[in-house]
CSV table of all heavy atoms in Angstrom, one decimal:
chain,number,residue,atom,x,y,z
A,296,VAL,N,-8.2,-2.9,22.8
A,296,VAL,CA,-8.5,-3.2,24.2
A,296,VAL,C,-10.0,-2.7,24.6
A,296,VAL,O,-10.3,-1.6,24.2
A,296,VAL,CB,-7.5,-2.5,25.2
A,296,VAL,CG1,-7.8,-2.9,26.6
A,296,VAL,CG2,-6.1,-2.9,24.8
A,297,TRP,N,-10.7,-3.6,25.2
A,297,TRP,CA,-12.1,-3.2,25.6
A,297,TRP,C,-12.1,-2.1,26.6
A,297,TRP,O,-11.3,-2.1,27.5
A,297,TRP,CB,-12.9,-4.4,26.2
A,297,TRP,CG,-13.3,-5.4,25.2
A,297,TRP,CD1,-12.7,-6.5,24.7
A,297,TRP,CD2,-14.5,-5.2,24.4
A,297,TRP,NE1,-13.4,-7.1,23.7
A,297,TRP,CE2,-14.6,-6.3,23.5
A,297,TRP,CE3,-15.6,-4.3,24.4
A,297,TRP,CZ2,-15.6,-6.5,22.6
A,297,TRP,CZ3,-16.6,-4.5,23.5
A,297,TRP,CH2,-16.6,-5.6,22.6
A,298,ASN,N,-13.0,-1.2,26.5
A,298,ASN,CA,-13.2,-0.2,27.5
A,298,ASN,C,-14.0,-0.9,28.6
A,298,ASN,O,-15.1,-1.5,28.3
A,298,ASN,CB,-14.0,1.0,26.9
A,298,ASN,CG,-14.3,2.0,28.0
A,298,ASN,OD1,-14.4,1.7,29.2
A,298,ASN,ND2,-14.6,3.2,27.5
A,299,GLU,N,-13.5,-1.0,29.8
A,299,GLU,CA,-14.1,-1.7,30.9
A,299,GLU,C,-15.7,-1.5,31.0
A,299,GLU,O,-16.4,-2.5,31.2
A,299,GLU,CB,-13.4,-1.4,32.2
A,299,GLU,CG,-13.5,-2.4,33.3
A,299,GLU,CD,-13.1,-3.8,32.8
A,299,GLU,OE1,-12.0,-4.0,32.1
A,299,GLU,OE2,-13.9,-4.7,33.0
A,300,LYS,N,-16.1,-0.3,30.8
A,300,LYS,CA,-17.5,0.1,31.0
A,300,LYS,C,-18.4,-0.7,30.0
A,300,LYS,O,-19.6,-0.9,30.2
A,300,LYS,CB,-17.6,1.6,30.7
A,300,LYS,CG,-18.5,2.3,31.6
A,300,LYS,CD,-18.4,3.8,31.4
A,300,LYS,CE,-19.4,4.3,30.3
A,300,LYS,NZ,-19.2,5.7,29.9
A,301,PHE,N,-17.8,-1.1,28.8
A,301,PHE,CA,-18.6,-1.7,27.8
A,301,PHE,C,-18.4,-3.2,27.7
A,301,PHE,O,-19.0,-3.8,26.8
A,301,PHE,CB,-18.3,-1.0,26.4
A,301,PHE,CG,-18.8,0.4,26.3
A,301,PHE,CD1,-18.0,1.5,26.7
A,301,PHE,CD2,-20.1,0.7,25.9
A,301,PHE,CE1,-18.5,2.8,26.7
A,301,PHE,CE2,-20.6,2.0,25.9
A,301,PHE,CZ,-19.7,3.0,26.2
A,302,ARG,N,-17.6,-3.7,28.5
A,302,ARG,CA,-17.2,-5.1,28.4
A,302,ARG,C,-18.5,-6.0,28.4
A,302,ARG,O,-18.6,-7.0,27.7
A,302,ARG,CB,-16.2,-5.6,29.4
A,302,ARG,CG,-15.5,-6.8,29.1
A,302,ARG,CD,-14.6,-7.3,30.2
A,302,ARG,NE,-13.4,-6.4,30.3
A,302,ARG,CZ,-12.3,-6.6,29.6
A,302,ARG,NH1,-12.2,-7.5,28.7
A,302,ARG,NH2,-11.3,-5.8,29.9
A,303,ASP,N,-19.4,-5.7,29.3
A,303,ASP,CA,-20.6,-6.5,29.4
A,303,ASP,C,-21.9,-5.7,28.9
A,303,ASP,O,-23.0,-6.0,29.3
A,303,ASP,CB,-20.8,-6.9,30.9
A,303,ASP,CG,-19.7,-7.8,31.4
A,303,ASP,OD1,-19.3,-8.7,30.6
A,303,ASP,OD2,-19.1,-7.5,32.4
A,304,SER,N,-21.6,-4.8,28.1
A,304,SER,CA,-22.7,-4.0,27.5
A,304,SER,C,-23.6,-4.7,26.5
A,304,SER,O,-23.1,-5.7,25.9
A,304,SER,CB,-22.2,-2.7,26.8
A,304,SER,OG,-22.2,-1.6,27.6
A,305,SER,N,-24.8,-4.2,26.3
A,305,SER,CA,-25.6,-4.8,25.2
A,305,SER,C,-25.1,-4.3,23.9
A,305,SER,O,-24.4,-3.4,23.8
A,305,SER,CB,-27.1,-4.3,25.4
A,305,SER,OG,-27.1,-3.0,25.1
A,309,ILE,N,-23.1,-0.8,22.6
A,309,ILE,CA,-21.9,-0.8,21.9
A,309,ILE,C,-22.0,0.1,20.7
A,309,ILE,O,-21.1,0.9,20.4
A,309,ILE,CB,-21.4,-2.2,21.6
A,309,ILE,CG1,-21.0,-2.9,22.9
A,309,ILE,CG2,-20.3,-2.2,20.5
A,309,ILE,CD1,-20.6,-4.3,22.8
A,316,PHE,N,-16.3,2.1,22.9
A,316,PHE,CA,-16.3,0.8,23.6
A,316,PHE,C,-15.0,0.2,23.6
A,316,PHE,O,-14.8,-0.8,24.3
A,316,PHE,CB,-17.4,-0.1,23.0
A,316,PHE,CG,-17.1,-0.5,21.6
A,316,PHE,CD1,-16.4,-1.7,21.3
A,316,PHE,CD2,-17.6,0.2,20.5
A,316,PHE,CE1,-16.2,-2.2,20.0
A,316,PHE,CE2,-17.4,-0.3,19.2
A,316,PHE,CZ,-16.7,-1.4,19.0
A,335,ASP,N,-4.7,-7.0,28.0
A,335,ASP,CA,-6.0,-6.8,28.5
A,335,ASP,C,-6.2,-7.9,29.6
A,335,ASP,O,-6.3,-9.1,29.2
A,335,ASP,CB,-7.1,-6.9,27.4
A,335,ASP,CG,-8.5,-6.7,27.8
A,335,ASP,OD1,-8.8,-6.9,29.0
A,335,ASP,OD2,-9.3,-6.3,27.0
A,336,ARG,N,-6.3,-7.5,30.8
A,336,ARG,CA,-6.4,-8.5,31.9
A,336,ARG,C,-7.5,-9.5,31.8
A,336,ARG,O,-7.4,-10.6,32.3
A,336,ARG,CB,-6.4,-7.8,33.3
A,336,ARG,CG,-5.1,-7.1,33.6
A,336,ARG,CD,-5.3,-6.4,35.0
A,336,ARG,NE,-4.5,-5.2,35.0
A,336,ARG,CZ,-4.0,-4.6,36.1
A,336,ARG,NH1,-4.3,-5.1,37.2
A,336,ARG,NH2,-3.4,-3.5,36.0
A,337,LYS,N,-8.6,-9.1,31.2
A,337,LYS,CA,-9.7,-10.0,31.1
A,337,LYS,C,-9.8,-10.7,29.8
A,337,LYS,O,-10.7,-11.6,29.6
A,337,LYS,CB,-11.0,-9.2,31.4
A,337,LYS,CG,-11.1,-8.8,32.8
A,337,LYS,CD,-12.5,-8.3,33.2
A,337,LYS,CE,-12.5,-7.8,34.6
A,337,LYS,NZ,-13.7,-7.0,34.9
A,338,CYS,N,-8.9,-10.5,28.9
A,338,CYS,CA,-8.9,-11.2,27.6
A,338,CYS,C,-8.4,-12.6,27.8
A,338,CYS,O,-7.5,-12.9,28.6
A,338,CYS,CB,-8.0,-10.5,26.6
A,338,CYS,SG,-7.9,-11.3,25.0
A,339,THR,N,-9.1,-13.6,27.2
A,339,THR,CA,-8.8,-15.0,27.3
A,339,THR,C,-7.8,-15.5,26.3
A,339,THR,O,-7.6,-16.7,26.2
A,339,THR,CB,-10.1,-15.8,27.3
A,339,THR,OG1,-10.7,-15.5,26.0
A,339,THR,CG2,-11.0,-15.5,28.4
A,376,ASP,N,-14.6,-11.7,20.0
A,376,ASP,CA,-15.4,-11.3,21.1
A,376,ASP,C,-16.5,-10.2,20.8
A,376,ASP,O,-17.6,-10.3,21.2
A,376,ASP,CB,-14.5,-10.8,22.3
A,376,ASP,CG,-13.7,-11.9,22.9
A,376,ASP,OD1,-14.0,-13.1,22.6
A,376,ASP,OD2,-12.8,-11.6,23.7
A,380,LYS,N,-20.5,-10.7,21.0
A,380,LYS,CA,-21.4,-9.8,21.7
A,380,LYS,C,-22.5,-9.3,20.8
A,380,LYS,O,-23.7,-9.2,21.2
A,380,LYS,CB,-20.6,-8.5,22.1
A,380,LYS,CG,-20.2,-8.6,23.6
A,380,LYS,CD,-19.5,-7.3,24.0
A,380,LYS,CE,-18.2,-7.6,24.8
A,380,LYS,NZ,-18.5,-8.3,26.0
Side-chain angles (χ1 to χ4, degrees):
V296 182
W297 283 96
N298 177 338
E299 205 47 51
K300 222 172 88 188
F301 289 91
R302 201 184 288 274
D303 299 312
S304 260
S305 69
I309 287 174
F316 68 89
D335 182 336
R336 288 182 216 203
K337 289 195 181 159
C338 177
T339 56
D376 289 346
K380 263 184 222 301

